[in-house]
Amino acid sequence: MKSRLRYVYDHYRFLILRRTLQLGILLLFFGANAWGWSLLVGDLSSSRILNTVPLADPLAVLQLLLAGGALAGQVLVGALIVLVAYALIGRAFCSWVCPVNLITDLAEWVRNRLGFREPPLMYLNRNLRYVVLAMVLVLSLLLSLPVFEFVSPIAAASRGVAFGMGMGWALLLAIFLFDLFVVRHGYCGHICPLGAFYSLTSRFRRVRVRHEKDSCTLCGLCFNACPEPHVLNLIGKHDGTVNNPECTNCFRCVEVCDDDALFVSLSGGWSK
């Protein structure tokens, strides 16, 4: 029993923490609407902690500003709080908070179970998400509307849990099927403008994955587990940290590494 628990801890500790946080946030949103809880009220676009501390999606706020909307000071403060937090810890929203990650990871698990592979001619450049981000901002300015907020699966999922899903389930199902049958991690890794936004704003993050070359046997498990495998370009080549800001800090690579060649790095230091 002890060895089994040790195995689960070594290989799934960050995954369990991520799922607990993701589902816990959704539960708090649901509880606020259904039972009057006040710990976290709202949704992932705009919320309040204990009805006091504002939080806001900085990309949504940027779209509203470009659309010419008048925003309350607390909304701007909430966006700044979130922006600074992810600037320090990296693109962790995508793997630790975003509910769409639950759906895309489920699609990944199913496709691995069924042995699905991408069609040989199917290729999406990961820079496409930056094009989508630019289009969202330009259209928000031209149309005077926060364009992405009308089609955002992130907003649909968090509002759906809190207030009722409506037709949001169709959008989430489409993402699941796209990731399952077309491109591995297709939506989050190639299309999502919010992921692109947080990649741009987390270049100086303090939390990173560190690699120790001498311990690495080039088994490839980290590449198979990583949703953004191109960020692991230093594996087997040299010591150092994963500096590509597209890393989501999910730490799956750390968990699956049986060589103990990957660690969580904090503020320039590092620890196992």
Side-chain angles (χ1 to χ4, degrees):
M1 176 61 74
K2 185 176 180 180
S3 61
R4 177 60 181 173
L5 291 176
R6 182 65 188 183
Y7 176 86
V8 170
Y9 172 79
D10 287 341
H11 290 80
Y12 297 102
R13 60 191 185 279
F14 292 116
L15 178 61
I16 292 172
L17 284 173
R18 288 194 294 117
R19 294 293 178 256
T20 300
L21 182 60
Q22 289 169 314
L23 295 174
I25 289 172
L26 293 177
L27 176 62
L28 290 175
F29 283 144
F30 177 81
N33 184 59
W35 304 309
W37 293 356
S38 61
L39 183 57
L40 188 62
V41 180
D43 55 48
L44 287 175
S45 295
S46 179
S47 57
R48 298 184 309 279
I49 299 175
L50 296 174
N51 279 320
T52 304
V53 180
L55 299 173
D57 174 2
L59 179 57
V61 169
L62 179 57
Q63 291 173 76
L64 287 168
L65 289 173
L66 290 173
L71 301 178
Q74 65 176 359
V75 174
L76 297 175
V77 170
L80 182 61
I81 290 173
V82 173
L83 183 62
V84 170
Y86 289 121
L88 292 175
I89 63 177
R91 190 187 151 196
F93 172 86
C94 299
S95 57
W96 289 81
V97 177
C98 181
V100 177
N101 173 254
L102 296 166
I103 296 167
T104 58
D105 276 6
L106 176 61
E108 169 74 357
W109 181 83
V110 173
R111 71 182 292 145
N112 287 338
R113 284 282 181 170
L114 299 179
F116 288 167
R117 295 292 181 266
E118 296 173 7
L121 298 180
M122 176 52 65
Y123 174 75
L124 286 180
N125 192 305
R126 290 183 180 270
N127 290 328
L128 175 61
R129 52 188 156 195
Y130 299 103
V131 175
V132 175
L133 173 61
M135 290 175 58
V136 164
L137 297 179
V138 170
L139 289 174
S140 295
L141 177 64
L142 295 179
L143 301 178
S144 298
L145 293 170
V147 173
F148 183 58
E149 291 308 293
F150 287 100
V151 296
S152 170
I154 305 166
S158 63
R159 291 169 188 163
V161 169
F163 309 111
M165 187 61 69
M167 289 300 295
W169 67 268
L171 179 58
L172 299 176
L173 177 61
I175 289 175
F176 174 81
L177 295 176
F178 179 67
D179 274 39
L180 177 60
F181 292 111
V182 183
V183 180
R184 177 179 183 254
H185 294 289
Y187 178 76
C188 297
H190 300 80
I191 297 174
C192 181
L194 186 56
F197 178 83
Y198 281 129
S199 294
L200 293 175
T201 59
S202 63
R203 293 185 177 275
F204 303 102
R205 67 196 185 281
R206 304 302 297 164
V207 182
R208 305 188 185 204
V209 172
R210 183 174 181 86
H211 173 58
E212 192 175 79
K213 176 182 177 295
D214 290 342
S215 300
C216 181
T217 61
L218 294 176
C219 67
L221 290 176
C222 55
F223 288 99
N224 291 333
C226 182
E228 302 272 4
H230 62 287
V231 308
L232 299 176
N233 60 335
L234 79 166
I235 297 299
K237 299 177 182 177
H238 56 82
D239 293 345
T241 57
V242 175
N243 295 323
N244 191 315
E246 291 176 353
C247 173
T248 67
N249 276 351
C250 67
F251 304 137
R252 279 297 291 151
C253 60
V254 176
E255 293 175 314
V256 301
C257 181
D258 292 326
D259 301 325
D260 289 333
L262 293 166
F263 313 93
V264 178
S265 173
L266 302 172
S267 301
W270 60 280
S271 61
K272 287 190 179 183

